[in-house]
Amino acid sequence: PAPAVPSAPAADPFNPDAGKEQIRFDDVSDNAWYASAVRYAVENGLMNGTGTGKFSPAASTTRGMVMTILARMAGADTSGTPWYAAGMNWAKAKGVSDGTNPTVKITREQLVTMLYRYAGTPAANGSLSDFSDTASVSSYAVNAMQWAVENGIVNGSNGKLNPQNNATRAE
């Protein structure tokens, strides 16, 4: 007779995360300022790693990535082809983004503006006067940036907001 084929091992009942994407990444140290945010984003299915134990926190984020993250936060199904289409369509329908240039790197002010719109465009009373590059914030993003500063979403770096810089995956 032929040898018996063993069945697949049972899932470990004591590990509810068995089979999920790893939460620890080789390129995210435990003491990085963004470590807890990366863990939250992955645990909650908002973002994935970039493969082989990497998260790539310094890599640029695209407009499509942010639209998809916000759609996932709202509970929308983001499956489909191309990968950003469902998130882009959701963002357009909800007024979070106009949906343009989903594969282009997103600037910090564009990211903040999408977050601000996602939050429902609340009153913005934060001051930008502490930042030396306030004049470089585009007019469409001023209220969003004031709101983000007021709520501690953006703290700046070395006295600058860097609104035209590309946002990283860590940000």
Side-chain angles (χ1 to χ4, degrees):
V5 177
S7 61
D12 182 352
F14 303 106
N15 182 3
D17 293 326
K20 291 184 180 178
E21 180 162 1
Q22 79 177 52
I23 306 302
R24 296 182 59 87
F25 297 96
D26 298 337
D27 57 355
V28 178
S29 69
D30 290 339
N31 61 355
W33 65 266
Y34 49 81
S36 64
V38 168
R39 200 166 21 264
Y40 178 88
V42 174
E43 285 175 353
N44 289 282
L46 304 177
M47 294 179 79
N48 299 314
T50 56
T52 320
K54 303 287 184 201
F55 185 79
S56 304
S60 294
T61 305
T62 66
R63 293 174 50 83
M65 287 179 193
V66 175
M67 289 182 245
T68 301
I69 291 165
L70 294 176
R72 289 174 178 167
M73 284 179 60
D77 178 2
T78 59
S79 59
T81 305
W83 64 267
Y84 58 78
M88 178 185 68
N89 291 333
W90 174 89
K92 286 169 48 176
K94 299 297 182 184
V96 170
S97 172
D98 62 5
T100 59
N101 303 317
T103 60
V104 171
K105 295 174 183 175
I106 193 167
T107 65
R108 289 169 49 86
E109 71 180 5
Q110 291 169 346
L111 170 62
V112 165
T113 300
M114 283 191 202
L115 294 174
Y116 176 66
R117 291 174 181 164
Y118 179 81
T121 62
N125 300 313
S127 172
L128 302 181
S129 63
D130 290 342
F131 303 97
S132 63
D133 60 349
T134 298
S136 64
V137 176
S138 299
S139 59
Y140 76 85
V142 170
N143 286 344
M145 197 62 81
Q146 289 172 327
W147 169 80
V149 167
E150 177 183 14
N151 289 284
I153 297 166
V154 171
N155 299 315
S157 177
N158 297 319
K160 293 184 176 186
L161 291 168
N162 302 311
Q164 306 302 320
N165 289 9
N166 292 328
T168 66
R169 286 174 49 87
E171 292 169 328

